[in-house]
Amino acid sequence: MSVPDYMQCAEDHQTLLVVVQPVGVVSEENFFRIYKRISSVSQISVRDSQRVLYIRYRHHYPPENNEWGDFQTHRKVVGLVTITDCCSAKEWPQTFEKFHMQKELYGTTLYDSRLFVFGLQGEIAEQPRTDVAFYPSYEDCPTVEKRVEDFIESLFIVLESKRLDRATDKSGDKIPLLCVPFEKKDFVGLDTDSRHYKKRCQGRMRKHVGDLCLQAGMLPDSLVHYHMSVELLRSVNDFLWLGAALEGLCSASVICHYPGGTGGKMGARRFLGGSLAVEAANRHRPGALTTNGINPDTSAEIGRAKNCLSPEDIVDKYKEAISYYSKYKNAGVIELEACVKAVRVLAVQRRSMEASEFLQNAVYINLRQLSEEEKIQRYSILSELYELIGFRRKSAFFKRVAAMQCVAPSIPEPGWRACYKLLLETLPGYSLSLDPNDFNKGTHRGWAAVQMRLLHELVYASRRMGNPALSVRHLSFLLQTMLDFLSDQEKKDVTQSLESYTSKCPGTMELITLPDGLTLLPVPFTKLPIVRRVNLLNLPASLRPQKMKSLLGQNMSTKSPFIYSPIIAHSRGEERSKKIDFQWVQGDVCEVQLMVYNPMPFELRVENMGLLTSGVEFESLPAALSLPAESGLYPVTLVGVPQTTGIITVNGYHTTVFGVFSDCLLDNLPGVKTGGSTVEVVPALPRLQIGTSLPRSAHSLQPSSGDEISTNVSVQLYNGETQQLVIKLENIGMEPLEKLEVTSKILTTKEKLYGNFLSWKLEDTLAQFPLQPGKVATFTVNIRVKLDFSCQENVLQDLSDDGISVSGFPMCSPFRQVARPRTESKPVNPPEGSKPGDSSHIKTLEAILNFKYSGGPGHVEGYYRSLSLGLHVEVEPSVFFTRVSTLPATSTRQCHLLLDVFNPTEHELTVSARSTEELILHAGECQRMAIQVHKFTMESFPESPGEKGQLANPRQLEEEGQEARGLEINSKLAIRWRIPSLQRTGEASVEGLLNQLVLDHVQLAPLQWDVLVDGQPCDSEAAACRVGDPIRLEVRLTNRSRRSVGPFALTVEPFQDHQNGVHSYDLHGAISFVGSSTFYLDAVQPSGQAACLGALLFLYTGDFFLHIRFHEDSTSKELPQSWFCLPSVHVRALEAQA
């Protein structure tokens, strides 16, 4: 026997072997359709008995194996079922002849045979025959199973008769010697009458009867016969048959101990039939047999109790039997099959180590020269057996050997598909999964070197199969999962191979389904490059959407009556762990930053790198990058544009590396840190871009509020100068700009600023709205700087050192060398830092213009954007006033303001007021200028806290009142300077220099006194009269204060001024009063008036002056002296007319 049956198990010893074969030309589909129905009748129960008959079907069985049927009866073909196509009666004789020729192959061992004919109808088909069954077609054959049952009945009858014939002890009859094929020549010439020969014959026949009993379902009897055979054969050292007897004893004991079987599904099916004997008997009742009164179970109790081997003895007897088989070279197949059966038994007993010893023995059993197909079958079965006992890696080894045998050089047509299929089956044994996600679960499992070798073989096999996509998938898997174990040279080799493959078939993220149903998952390159951190970036400050402030309580949830709930807070906290607290805007470019590094020893080129998102429609803008070899963490920014609104989730990124397209999900990236991956996308908003007429500034403003400034501009102005800042507002977005608000903020400064620093009119700009995309609007801002340089310490120090006269004469320049000697402590040449225009004399103003704008769908949802413009203004001193004083004018309603004007610039400039001519000042020159000023009233300025409320600070009110009066004086003076060489002009301010004393002199007193001579006011000019004519004198009082004043008493005292400092008051002979020289005024209410009248008579010609003096009493003492400022009265007496 040369062809081993690797699928045998111990239970096969109790089966009858039936061969099912086609006769003539039968299609494979039709043959296996009928074969499947025939093989379904694998067991029947004997009526009135517990005996069960088992059938083993084969569609191919070598005739040479049939020659070993006497050695082990389950190897003998006892039944033959043939299937044939016959369409006409003419073909029938030839078909029947072929059937007889087929029977002759197994004729010596056959018990019975059957022929199933399909397609033949007519007289021949209607003739009743026991060995032939006719069916019209393969579809119309309902009685196939019944015919098979009848066929098995006939087999049982013959089997039972042979068992009874061989089991009967016929004294005196000569027992034939059963032999295996290779023994026949060895027994020629032996003494057949010797005791040794007879025992040999008896022992072999006992063993043969035991086989028949086991096939006939008489398990206890078979055990008795096997034991007797073992004793007889052992006594004559018939080792080959002794091994067979021991193996039969083991098989019977296994059937007794393990009714579930040891052969997997077949054993389970047998157990099902054995345990449900009654159901089987009912199901096959037409074919049930009777024993004709013979009792088959006479020694059942004895066999089960004494003759059945224990599980441990079964293994020992198997070892002994195999050791006997090993003595015979021609029994290699028997020895190999016995090892396989023992392994299956030990697998059921869970004795893996002992089973591995049997398998190891099977590996070294030498058979005849095996064909390549038989070698593949042998290694595959060894692999399955090792898998059965739990030796997964050993099983994978033999399966890999079988795979390599499929493509051995001696095979003319290598089976690469079979090789690939077997290689796939080895993966679990080497702890290798084709799911890349399994390699992200902790430490690496298995031997990496073996796994890499296996993956290389899969790549090569798939390439030879003509499936380049499969090669790319396996090579990508190798590079992704084994990257840490590849040497630098191996990394280069693998990537070069991968690029070569992908040039013909690019790698994709699609599932690859193999013909056997196995699905290969895509392999994303999450390690090329390796990503360590993913951050969603906020929009630039100028593009961030902001929600318009709503009324208190509108945004509060109404789902809960509680102000705070820890449950709600907890759930919101979990949501915040993934959702980010800023927003993106529909239609605007959004950024995600990845920190990556390249683990490869060469430059890594990554193409088509973009974002993977969900939730909203998103347009990813792919990027390409090149990472240096083994780079450290490298920032990469991926951008995209959300096309719709909603909640967007960044799930990962996609790349193309070495021609393989990868979708890398963040959930599958081990060790990746992220600050959240979900963000809200708000409706589209316009985008505003500003351009200015001023140059950009090198100074970046840093406001304390943390606002980011998109643009900084700077300008250099002289103090008092005004310049226009023209801002171009361009809508560079896709939505119309509908709303605009402009505010300004002056950053904290120590400088005192007078007037409005920035001013504008927004109405002209809003008239151009809505501003469509691509359109430009203009916006003008007036920059006006008014600072006080008069108290600058370094300038005043220079003025003091130069000896400026308080009388107001021209001064020497503090910025040039002075001719007069200075103290030794002060250098002759001042330091460079004190030169004109140096930064020590320059003051800085900084402000922020903030533009809040909105439009489009975002405006409807209540969102806006804010854009800030930083303004840096450097202010140089123009002219300033070092000293201010006042002189009375001829009129009580006027005064002279004396100003010492200093030019600190390097240029000649002119200074002019509203009522004076231009004053020319050279660089560093100081001059005094006098300006006649009309006094102003106090009505427009607050005096009491009542006007600002009871909680106002009195000191603050006083300062505000002083500032307001200074502003009034400054506006009336309208002092301006002009630098002709630079064609620059500006305003000179005196607001910071006016003290209370000066303010008191330039404002009208609350009590307004008017003196009228003959009804004409006499304030600045002399009143004319004639000598001898009486003139009327009227003193009129207007109370502009907020209190009631009076009564007052006034005395008129005339005098003459001799213009030499001498005043003459003794004028009794020159002037006469008509009535009293004292006037009385009653109390005057606020805003009220009062007047007193008198008359004078001039007796001589000349210039006379009238001095009106108040009587000092309690009423007048309560009021300030400045309230009693009466004009000087000048009367010129002329000659009387003739």
Side-chain angles (χ1 to χ4, degrees):
M1 187 171 65
S2 59
V3 181
D5 184 2
Y6 295 100
M7 301 306 296
Q8 280 207 10
C9 55
E11 298 84 48
D12 288 341
H13 283 251
Q14 66 179 345
T15 62
L16 297 176
L17 179 59
V18 175
V19 174
V20 182
Q21 290 184 340
V23 173
V25 179
V26 180
S27 68
E28 185 177 350
E29 180 182 359
N30 291 332
F31 172 76
F32 281 103
R33 181 191 303 178
I34 301 302
Y35 177 80
K36 184 177 180 181
R37 294 179 61 180
I38 293 173
S39 59
S40 65
V41 186
S42 60
Q43 60 190 32
I44 64 172
S45 298
V46 179
R47 185 186 298 180
D48 301 331
S49 173
Q50 296 296 324
R51 294 162 63 181
V52 179
L53 200 64
Y54 296 96
I55 311 299
R56 185 169 91 256
Y57 295 94
R58 292 290 184 268
H59 56 79
H60 176 73
Y61 193 75
E64 58 267 23
N65 285 10
N66 195 36
E67 297 176 358
W68 290 72
D70 291 337
F71 183 70
Q72 290 176 327
T73 57
H74 72 280
R75 300 182 184 277
K76 181 185 301 184
V77 178
V78 298
L80 175 65
V81 179
T82 56
I83 301 171
T84 186
D85 287 337
C86 185
C87 300
S88 63
K90 294 181 180 181
E91 298 177 1
W92 168 243
Q94 184 179 2
T95 302
F96 194 70
E97 181 65 23
K98 291 180 180 179
F99 169 59
H100 279 287
M101 293 175 60
Q102 196 78 12
K103 287 199 299 181
E104 291 178 359
L105 292 176
Y106 309 101
T108 57
T109 61
L110 286 180
Y111 293 171
D112 201 357
S113 61
R114 291 289 186 272
L115 173 63
F116 289 170
V117 182
F118 293 89
L120 183 62
Q121 297 180 355
E123 296 181 0
I124 299 176
E126 293 175 357
Q127 296 176 2
R129 302 181 61 128
T130 58
D131 59 341
V132 181
F134 295 94
Y135 296 102
S137 65
Y138 288 97
E139 290 77 16
D140 187 11
C141 52
T143 62
V144 168
E145 289 82 358
K146 178 64 172 61
R147 290 276 190 175
V148 174
E149 291 175 1
D150 294 340
F151 172 63
I152 296 175
E153 290 177 11
S154 66
L155 296 181
F156 176 76
I157 292 173
V158 176
L159 172 65
E160 186 68 10
S161 64
K162 287 183 177 293
R163 182 188 69 81
L164 292 174
D165 182 56
R166 299 291 176 90
T168 303
D169 186 10
K170 298 177 180 180
S171 302
D173 292 348
K174 194 173 182 178
I175 301 175
L177 178 64
L178 301 176
C179 300
V180 295
F182 71 88
E183 286 182 324
K184 293 180 180 179
K185 60 182 180 179
D186 297 334
F187 292 148
V188 176
L190 288 179
D191 183 8
T192 57
D193 295 328
S194 65
R195 183 178 181 86
H196 187 277
Y197 181 81
K198 291 181 178 179
K199 280 191 175 183
R200 184 192 297 267
C201 293
Q202 291 176 359
R204 293 189 178 189
M205 185 57 69
R206 282 289 179 182
K207 187 265 173 194
H208 181 67
V209 173
D211 288 346
L212 294 175
C213 291
L214 189 60
Q215 285 182 310
M218 302 173 64
L219 180 62
D221 287 14
S222 67
L223 288 170
V224 172
H225 289 295
Y226 283 137
H227 276 288
M228 294 176 64
S229 173
V230 168
E231 292 176 2
L232 290 171
L233 295 174
R234 195 186 300 276
S235 64
V236 294
N237 294 330
D238 192 355
F239 296 118
L240 181 62
W241 285 79
L242 175 59
L246 291 172
E247 186 181 355
L249 182 60
C250 291
S251 298
S253 301
V254 167
I255 295 170
C256 181
H257 280 291
Y258 309 108
T262 62
K265 296 181 180 178
M266 288 292 294
R269 188 167 66 247
R270 294 191 184 108
F271 171 67
L272 179 64
S275 63
L276 301 178
V278 177
E279 288 186 25
N282 293 333
R283 186 169 60 251
H284 303 294
R285 197 156 55 88
L289 303 178
T290 176
T291 58
N292 296 322
I294 301 174
N295 183 8
D297 302 324
T298 55
S299 58
E301 295 182 1
I302 300 174
R304 289 187 183 275
K306 297 182 179 179
N307 299 320
C308 183
L309 299 177
S310 66
E312 293 77 12
D313 290 339
I314 292 175
V315 178
D316 294 337
K317 297 305 179 184
Y318 262 124
K319 289 181 180 179
E320 185 179 355
I322 292 171
S323 67
Y324 293 146
Y325 290 150
S326 64
K327 296 178 181 294
Y328 299 89
K329 181 179 179 181
N330 294 323
V333 174
I334 304 296
E335 179 186 358
L336 178 60
E337 291 181 356
C339 290
V340 172
K341 297 170 189 174
V343 169
R344 296 186 189 278
V345 173
L346 288 168
V348 175
Q349 296 179 359
R350 298 182 181 181
R351 298 163 68 177
S352 300
M353 294 303 296
E354 294 181 63
S356 67
E357 294 177 4
F358 282 96
L359 273 179
Q360 193 68 25
N361 182 65
V363 171
Y364 293 109
I365 295 176
N366 292 321
L367 302 178
R368 62 173 176 80
Q369 188 67 28
L370 299 176
S371 66
E372 299 298 336
E373 184 178 352
E374 290 172 336
K375 290 179 181 178
I376 295 171
Q377 182 185 16
R378 182 180 185 183
Y379 294 135
S380 299
I381 293 299
L382 287 173
S383 172
E384 293 178 6
L385 293 175
Y386 272 114
E387 179 72 23
L388 185 64
I389 64 175
F391 282 38
R392 297 171 60 245
R393 190 163 62 241
K394 204 68 173 286
S395 170
F397 170 79
F398 281 102
K399 189 150 291 186
R400 177 179 170 275
V401 173
M404 295 298 102
Q405 200 66 44
C406 293
V407 292
S410 58
I411 300 180
E413 294 183 1
W416 287 107
R417 293 188 180 277
C419 173
Y420 178 80
K421 182 177 182 300
L422 290 173
L423 286 176
L424 285 180
E425 295 175 1
T426 65
L427 298 180
Y430 291 115
S431 302
L432 188 59
S433 166
L434 292 181
D435 186 356
N437 295 325
D438 292 342
F439 289 82
N440 298 332
K441 301 174 182 178
T443 58
H444 187 88
R445 296 179 63 245
W447 293 347
V450 177
Q451 292 171 344
M452 288 189 291
R453 175 67 180 271
L454 186 59
L455 288 173
H456 275 295
E457 292 171 350
L458 282 173
V459 172
Y460 186 75
S462 57
R463 184 173 69 85
R464 294 298 300 269
M465 286 167 51
N467 194 336
L470 204 56
S471 302
V472 171
R473 180 61 53 86
H474 288 309
L475 199 55
S476 302
F477 183 87
L478 169 63
L479 187 59
Q480 167 68 19
T481 58
M482 302 294 168
L483 184 65
D484 297 337
F485 304 99
L486 293 172
S487 64
D488 290 350
Q489 185 60 41
E490 288 174 334
K491 291 177 181 178
K492 294 179 182 179
D493 295 341
V494 171
T495 54
Q496 288 175 0
S497 300
L498 184 59
E499 287 180 326
S500 175
Y501 290 162
T502 55
S503 63
K504 302 174 183 178
C505 180
T508 65
M509 290 297 292
E510 297 178 358
L511 295 174
I512 296 180
T513 303
L514 301 178
D516 58 354
L518 179 65
T519 301
L520 296 184
L521 298 176
V523 182
F525 278 160
T526 58
K527 294 183 179 180
L528 297 172
I530 297 177
V531 177
R532 283 297 179 225
R533 187 168 185 83
V534 178
N535 284 330
L536 277 66
L537 301 183
N538 199 353
L539 294 174
S542 59
L543 298 180
R544 293 173 188 169
Q546 302 180 39
K547 189 73 173 177
M548 297 179 183
K549 293 182 179 179
S550 57
L551 297 177
L552 181 62
Q554 287 184 354
N555 292 332
M556 296 179 64
S557 175
T558 58
K559 295 182 180 179
S560 174
F562 302 102
I563 297 176
Y564 171 77
S565 171
I567 301 176
I568 298 176
H570 179 68
S571 63
R572 289 175 181 170
E574 292 179 350
E575 182 181 358
R576 283 197 302 268
S577 65
K578 296 196 69 176
K579 186 176 179 181
I580 306 176
D581 58 357
F582 58 75
Q583 294 90 24
W584 285 349
V585 179
Q586 174 189 358
D588 282 2
V589 175
C590 306
E591 298 179 337
V592 177
Q593 187 183 67
L594 282 67
M595 299 301 295
V596 305
Y597 73 88
N598 173 23
M600 305 299 280
F602 50 84
E603 183 181 17
L604 181 65
R605 296 187 304 275
V606 183
E607 301 172 355
N608 192 34
M609 191 171 189
L611 295 173
L612 298 175
T613 61
S614 62
V616 304
E617 183 180 347
F618 187 81
E619 178 186 1
S620 179
L621 305 178
L625 61 143
S626 181
L627 298 175
E630 297 179 350
S631 66
L633 283 178
Y634 189 85
V636 175
T637 302
L638 302 181
V639 299
V641 180
Q643 303 293 335
T644 57
T645 61
I647 303 298
I648 184 173
T649 301
V650 177
N651 299 319
Y653 60 92
H654 62 80
T655 61
T656 301
V657 181
F658 305 128
V660 178
F661 185 83
S662 302
D663 288 341
C664 305
L665 302 179
L666 297 183
D667 294 339
N668 297 335
L669 298 180
V672 173
K673 297 180 180 179
T674 176
S677 58
T678 301
V679 68
E680 180 184 3
V681 179
V682 303
L685 288 166
R687 290 184 60 182
L688 182 63
Q689 178 177 286
I690 59 175
T692 67
S693 57
L694 297 179
R696 289 184 175 270
S697 174
H699 302 272
S700 295
L701 273 63
Q702 300 293 335
S704 57
S705 59
D707 298 334
E708 295 187 22
I709 299 174
S710 58
T711 307
N712 290 276
V713 296
S714 63
V715 64
Q716 189 170 8
L717 301 176
Y718 283 100
N719 190 31
E721 189 176 4
T722 300
Q723 180 165 332
Q724 284 189 343
L725 170 61
V726 179
I727 302 175
K728 292 183 179 180
L729 307 176
E730 181 179 2
N731 183 5
I732 61 174
M734 303 302 294
E735 302 294 334
L737 200 157
E738 302 173 11
K739 298 293 182 182
L740 177 66
E741 294 182 9
V742 183
T743 57
S744 65
K745 178 183 178 181
I746 301 176
L747 301 185
T748 304
T749 176
K750 299 179 181 179
E751 305 296 336
K752 178 67 176 177
L753 184 63
Y754 298 96
N756 292 327
F757 176 38
L758 302 175
S759 60
W760 61 83
K761 291 184 178 180
L762 192 58
E763 293 77 11
D764 297 340
T765 304
L766 293 179
Q768 307 173 53
F769 280 46
L771 194 63
Q772 297 300 324
K775 300 297 181 180
V776 179
T778 57
F779 176 65
T780 303
V781 177
N782 294 317
I783 305 174
R784 183 183 182 190
V785 290
K786 289 173 63 178
L787 299 176
D788 184 10
F789 279 86
S790 60
C791 297
Q792 196 160 341
E793 183 177 354
N794 53 358
V795 176
L796 294 181
Q797 182 65 33
D798 288 333
L799 295 177
S800 172
D801 293 341
D802 286 338
I804 294 180
S805 172
V806 295
S807 62
F809 294 114
M811 308 181 243
C812 296
S813 171
F815 298 103
R816 61 181 64 177
Q817 183 176 353
V818 182
R820 76 188 73 179
R822 299 194 179 197
T823 59
E824 296 180 358
S825 62
K826 191 171 184 69
V828 176
N829 291 323
E832 185 179 354
S834 62
K835 292 181 180 179
D838 190 82
S839 59
S840 61
H841 301 300
I842 294 177
K843 296 185 178 182
T844 301
L845 291 176
E846 292 180 338
I848 298 176
L849 278 173
N850 185 264
F851 299 85
K852 294 182 179 179
Y853 62 96
S854 184
H859 176 64
V860 177
E861 297 295 329
Y863 289 95
Y864 69 92
R865 278 175 167 162
S866 179
L867 184 64
S868 296
L869 172 66
L871 180 61
H872 178 87
V873 181
E874 294 182 350
V875 185
E876 294 188 25
S878 54
V879 295
F880 61 84
F881 306 100
T882 62
R883 181 178 177 183
V884 181
S885 60
T886 58
L887 287 177
T890 55
S891 171
T892 58
R893 298 182 182 275
Q894 295 178 343
C895 71
H896 293 285
L897 192 64
L898 304 181
L899 302 172
D900 291 347
V901 188
F902 177 62
N903 175 16
T905 69
E906 294 181 327
H907 309 280
E908 181 182 276
L909 58 76
T910 62
V911 181
S912 63
R914 181 173 297 172
S915 58
T916 61
E917 296 181 354
E918 287 188 346
L919 177 66
I920 299 176
L921 289 176
H922 298 286
E925 185 179 5
C926 182
Q927 292 190 24
R928 175 167 294 178
M929 63 184 300
I931 303 175
Q932 185 173 334
V933 182
H934 290 275
K935 294 183 180 182
F936 59 88
T937 62
M938 297 171 55
E939 294 179 355
S940 60
F941 310 114
E943 282 193 357
S944 64
E947 293 188 3
K948 286 287 187 81
Q950 297 298 326
L951 299 178
N953 188 355
R955 182 176 179 181
Q956 182 180 357
L957 289 177
E958 181 181 354
E959 292 178 355
E960 291 180 358
Q962 187 172 342
E963 291 180 4
R965 289 190 289 271
L967 179 61
E968 176 73 14
I969 295 174
N970 201 62
S971 63
K972 288 186 176 181
L973 294 179
I975 304 175
R976 299 191 63 80
W977 54 265
R978 183 171 61 88
I979 302 178
S981 61
L982 301 179
Q983 296 183 354
R984 299 174 73 168
T985 182
E987 179 182 356
S989 174
V990 297
E991 295 177 44
L993 299 174
L994 300 178
N995 53 30
Q996 188 61 42
L997 180 61
V998 174
L999 290 175
D1000 290 343
H1001 288 167
V1002 297
Q1003 67 181 1
L1004 292 172
L1007 300 182
Q1008 181 178 336
W1009 301 88
D1010 296 312
V1011 179
L1012 289 78
V1013 177
D1014 279 342
Q1016 298 296 324
C1018 57
D1019 189 7
S1020 57
E1021 298 181 358
C1025 64
R1026 299 290 179 180
V1027 175
D1029 293 339
I1031 60 173
R1032 186 177 60 178
L1033 180 64
E1034 180 181 1
V1035 178
R1036 187 180 298 169
L1037 171 61
T1038 302
N1039 184 10
R1040 299 182 181 274
S1041 69
R1042 302 178 185 277
R1043 54 183 292 184
S1044 175
V1045 296
F1048 300 107
L1050 301 87
T1051 299
V1052 179
E1053 296 179 352
F1055 68 91
Q1056 279 187 314
D1057 187 359
H1058 296 291
Q1059 301 297 325
N1060 57 359
V1062 177
H1063 292 176
S1064 175
Y1065 287 91
D1066 188 9
L1067 301 177
H1068 295 292
I1071 299 176
S1072 177
F1073 284 91
V1074 180
S1076 175
S1077 61
T1078 301
F1079 299 86
Y1080 294 95
L1081 289 173
D1082 295 331
V1084 183
Q1085 299 300 321
S1087 302
Q1089 287 186 346
C1092 55
L1093 300 174
L1096 291 173
L1097 181 63
F1098 289 91
L1099 304 179
Y1100 298 98
T1101 61
D1103 289 330
F1104 299 91
F1105 295 91
L1106 301 179
H1107 174 63
I1108 302 175
R1109 180 175 57 83
F1110 286 87
H1111 291 194
E1112 294 185 1
D1113 53 13
S1114 59
T1115 303
S1116 61
K1117 286 183 179 180
E1118 294 177 358
L1119 301 176
Q1121 188 63 33
S1122 60
W1123 287 27
F1124 301 96
C1125 182
L1126 275 71
S1128 177
V1129 181
H1130 181 197
V1131 181
R1132 181 170 294 159
L1134 304 176
E1135 292 287 344
Q1137 294 181 350

